[in-house]
Amino acid sequence: MNLAEGVQIVSFGLLSLMMIGAALGVVLLANIVYSAFLLGGVFISIAGLYILLNADFVAAAQVLIYVGAVNVLILFAIMLVNKRQDFTPLPNAWVRKGATALVCAGLFVLLLTMVLATPWTTTKVVGVVPAQSSIVTIGEHFFTDFLLPFELASVLLLIAMVGAIILARREFLPEQVISPETPQQPALTLPERPRELLVAGSDKKV
């Protein structure tokens, strides 16, 4: 995406603030449904950063896979389970919080060191033909150099989908197996209107 330098800086700042704020909301909010929605905001912000890097295919895959599949799956799992249970206080919880804070601080220092040590200066070359789209390049690599891993990954996903269908389907017993001693569940019926609502001597109902 060929944008002006000021537009790129402003877009990068807004997307970064959106991503950091949504990530903090995912961690700090007690309502897990809100956390799942904010996780979708994090994924969308990352997709915007990919667009600024001219990685249009990766940005589309980020939205389709993570927002459209993973995040929706998390929301469905949360809403279907719907288990309301208070968290029991754990002994020595401050040890876990301290270890988590230490790991996060270490990762932050590592990333900050990488950012400061990386030379971010770019040189502009006049007369160079712009590179082709990343979709074309990734497609060429998928169907030439990485054809076998690509097909193996598709077969693996197909096996996982078939296994999930087999595990999730319900087994129905045939009529010959059901014995008379098997307790039958009562059929669901709609409640009838009480007879007191009928007016005597008329065909009209109240």
Side-chain angles (χ1 to χ4, degrees):
M1 182 177 293
N2 297 322
L3 297 176
E5 185 176 358
V7 177
Q8 289 184 357
I9 294 174
V10 172
S11 301
F12 176 76
L14 292 176
L15 290 172
S16 301
L17 290 177
M18 178 180 173
M19 181 176 60
I20 294 173
L24 290 175
V26 172
V27 178
L28 299 177
L29 287 181
N31 194 330
I32 193 170
V33 178
Y34 294 159
S35 298
F37 276 112
L38 289 176
L39 183 62
V42 175
F43 292 149
I44 292 175
S45 303
I46 296 174
L49 294 178
Y50 284 143
I51 291 176
L52 292 179
L53 294 173
N54 291 328
D56 44 5
F57 178 78
V58 182
Q62 176 80 16
V63 174
L64 291 176
I65 297 175
Y66 285 96
V67 180
V70 176
N71 199 38
V72 173
L73 180 62
I74 293 173
L75 285 172
F76 269 107
I78 293 170
M79 294 179 179
L80 288 177
V81 172
N82 196 18
K83 185 177 181 181
R84 297 181 179 180
Q85 184 178 2
D86 297 332
F87 291 101
T88 56
L90 299 175
N92 298 327
W94 62 272
V95 178
R96 295 180 175 84
K97 294 180 180 179
T100 304
L102 185 62
V103 172
C104 293
L107 290 175
F108 178 77
V109 172
L110 181 62
L111 292 174
L112 185 61
T113 305
M114 183 189 67
V115 169
L116 295 177
T118 303
W120 298 103
T121 57
T122 57
T123 57
K124 296 182 180 180
V125 181
V126 181
V128 177
V129 180
Q132 60 183 356
S133 175
S134 60
I135 301 177
V136 178
T137 306
I138 293 174
E140 290 178 353
H141 285 293
F142 269 161
F143 290 98
T144 54
D145 303 332
F146 303 100
L147 179 61
L148 182 60
F150 180 68
E151 294 297 333
L152 289 178
S154 62
V155 173
L156 181 63
L157 291 175
L158 179 62
I159 293 172
M161 183 178 66
V162 173
I165 293 173
I166 293 175
L167 292 175
R169 71 174 186 175
R170 295 181 179 180
E171 297 290 344
F172 293 96
L173 296 175
E175 296 181 358
Q176 293 80 7
V177 179
I178 301 177
S179 60
E181 292 79 10
T182 305
Q184 300 292 331
Q185 295 182 355
L188 297 177
T189 56
L190 295 175
E192 298 181 356
R193 178 176 293 182
R195 296 182 180 275
E196 289 79 11
L197 296 179
L198 298 177
V199 180
S202 65
D203 296 333
K204 296 182 180 180
K205 300 180 181 179
V206 179

